[in-house]
């Protein structure tokens, strides 16, 4: 039931979307950074990282992140973790990456809490520890971060680092699903389908599959096709079944490809 939905976009997620902001005044940022302003140091580093207002230069980005980190700037810690994880502007070092994420997480930076939780879950840069992973996912989930809510729900769903509890899993899947997070919508739909942690409700399951399917989740597309094929939670409609199975099959879902042969 669990789907691992870590896209490269999420792995490369950065702290702020400066592209959506006004073009920064690089000279002013540099003056503030030289004067010891840690936020300016961080922003200047970010400008070098993405090439906003200056030529892209990861080495310069790391230099300014390090200066900001000396003043305990949590966003700088986070970006240094990313830099070491990917080896951008510095040596690739998973242990150092985890160390920086941990520092940012300790300061309440939500994305860092999520990343250090992933590190503990996967044993990347730290010794694998499902309980510690669940603890950090919980912190980020409580800050309304949908990916963390989803991972915490999965932990309760499968008993990873916490006692298995389908009701608690459903609660956290619901929170992430309400934020539009497709993997959570699919998994919550599965719980309604099976009556685990919630009262069995095929109509709600189909509704949740539909929400996730519209976002391109292939498992949801396949399950939604099944719903239409069998008339479970929706009116039976073989054209709709074929439509969603085709959607899933076109993205490489082998079960959907086999299902199409039934039509």
């Amino acid at each position: 039931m669990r789907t691992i939905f870590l896209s490269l976009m999420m792995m490369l997620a950065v702290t702020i979307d400066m592209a959506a902001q006004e073009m920064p005044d690089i000279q002013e940022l540099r003056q503030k950074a030289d004067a010891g302003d840690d936020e300016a140091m961080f922003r200047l580093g970010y400008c070098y990282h993405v090439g906003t207002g200056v030529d892209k230069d990861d080495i310069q980005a790391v230099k300014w992140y390090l200066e900001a980190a000396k003043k305990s700037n949590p966003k700088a810690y986070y970006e240094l973790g990313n830099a070491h994880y990917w080896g951008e502007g510095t040596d690739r070092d998973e242990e150092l990456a985890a160390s920086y994420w941990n520092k940012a997480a300790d300061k309440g930076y939500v994305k860092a809490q999520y990343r250090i939780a992933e590190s503990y879950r996967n044993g990347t840069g730290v010794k694998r520890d499902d309980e510690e992973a669940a603890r950090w996912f919980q912190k980020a989930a409580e800050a309304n971060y949908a990916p963390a809510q989803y991972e915490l729900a999965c932990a309760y769903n499968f008993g990873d680092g916490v006692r298995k509890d389908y009701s608690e899993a459903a609660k956290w899947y619901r929170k992430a699903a309400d934020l539009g997070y497709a993997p959570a919508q699919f998994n919550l739909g599965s719980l309604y389908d099976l009556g685990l942690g919630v009262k069995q409700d095929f109509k709600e399951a189909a509704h949740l599959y539909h929400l996730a399917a519209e976002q391109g989740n292939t498992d949801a597309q396949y399950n939604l096709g099944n719903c239409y094929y069998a008339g479970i939670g929706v009116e039976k409609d073989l054209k709709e079944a074929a439509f969603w199975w085709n959607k899933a099959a076109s993205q490489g879902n082998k079960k959907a490809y086999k299902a199409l042969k039934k039509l």
Side-chain angles (χ1 to χ4, degrees), residues 15-30:
T15 308
I16 55 175
D17 183 9
M18 293 183 69
Q21 301 180 5
E22 295 181 6
M23 182 68 71
D25 185 328
I26 298 300
Q27 184 176 353
E28 181 182 355
L29 271 183
R30 193 178 299 278

Side-chain angles (χ1 to χ4, degrees), residues 110 137-149 172 175-176 179:
V110 174
F137 281 136
Q138 177 95 34
K139 286 182 178 291
E142 289 173 350
N144 215 34
Y145 191 53
Q149 292 171 337
W172 288 105
K175 288 179 181 292
L179 291 172

Side-chain angles (χ1 to χ4, degrees), residues 145-167:
Y145 191 53
Q149 292 171 337
Y150 167 75
E151 293 295 346
L152 182 60
C154 288
Y156 280 110
N157 198 349
F158 301 102
D160 294 334
V162 292
R163 179 176 55 84
K164 182 181 284 192
D165 186 331
Y166 290 123
S167 295

Side-chain angles (χ1 to χ4, degrees), residues 14-257:
V14 291
T15 308
I16 55 175
D17 183 9
M18 293 183 69
Q21 301 180 5
E22 295 181 6
M23 182 68 71
D25 185 328
I26 298 300
Q27 184 176 353
E28 181 182 355
L29 271 183
R30 193 178 299 278
Q31 289 174 346
K32 289 181 177 180
D34 287 339
D37 185 325
D38 65 286
E39 185 62 22
M41 293 172 181
F42 165 74
R43 285 173 57 82
L44 185 57
Y46 188 85
C47 287
Y48 277 111
H49 178 56
V50 299
T52 300
V54 292
D55 291 337
K56 180 176 170 60
D57 187 333
D58 287 329
I59 293 176
Q60 282 293 312
V62 169
K63 170 193 168 183
W64 285 108
Y65 289 151
L66 282 168
E67 290 300 315
K70 289 177 183 177
K71 294 179 174 289
S72 302
N73 185 293
K75 290 180 287 188
Y77 285 145
Y78 174 70
E79 292 297 347
L80 283 169
N82 291 344
H84 280 288
Y85 183 83
W86 295 105
E88 294 179 340
T90 188
D91 294 335
R92 192 171 192 276
D93 187 328
E94 291 179 349
E95 289 187 15
L96 195 51
S99 174
Y100 277 121
W101 288 332
N102 206 104
K103 288 180 179 180
D106 281 338
K107 287 186 167 293
Y109 196 62
V110 174
K111 289 182 179 179
Q113 291 172 340
Y114 177 79
R115 291 305 301 274
I116 195 61
E118 285 188 311
S119 297
Y120 278 112
R121 183 192 62 194
N122 299 326
T124 304
V126 292
K127 183 178 179 181
R128 177 169 178 166
D129 187 330
D130 288 339
E131 290 185 8
E132 190 69 2
R135 184 176 77 86
W136 282 113
F137 281 136
Q138 177 95 34
K139 286 182 178 291
E142 289 173 350
N144 215 34
Y145 191 53
Q149 292 171 337
Y150 167 75
E151 293 295 346
L152 182 60
C154 288
Y156 280 110
N157 198 349
F158 301 102
D160 294 334
V162 292
R163 179 176 55 84
K164 182 181 284 192
D165 186 331
Y166 290 123
S167 295
E168 196 70 9
K171 182 184 85 172
W172 288 105
Y173 282 142
R174 172 60 72 183
K175 288 179 181 292
D178 287 346
L179 291 172
Y181 198 62
Q185 292 167 341
F186 169 72
N187 280 17
L188 183 58
S190 297
L191 293 185
Y192 274 105
D193 219 346
L194 300 170
L196 295 175
V198 291
K199 183 178 180 181
Q200 193 170 48
D201 187 332
F202 296 129
K203 185 175 180 180
E204 181 65 7
H207 169 67
L208 287 160
Y209 290 151
H210 200 280
L211 292 176
E214 287 181 332
Q215 295 190 67
N217 185 291
T218 63
D219 290 320
Q221 290 169 344
Y222 169 71
N223 279 15
L224 185 58
N226 290 343
C227 291
Y228 278 110
Y229 181 79
I232 298 175
V234 292
E235 289 188 15
K236 185 169 183 173
D237 189 327
L238 297 184
K239 288 185 178 180
E240 279 293 300
F243 174 81
W244 289 110
W245 282 341
N246 270 306
K247 285 273 191 182
S250 69
Q251 295 187 74
N253 189 299
K254 294 180 181 180
K255 293 185 291 184
Y257 180 78

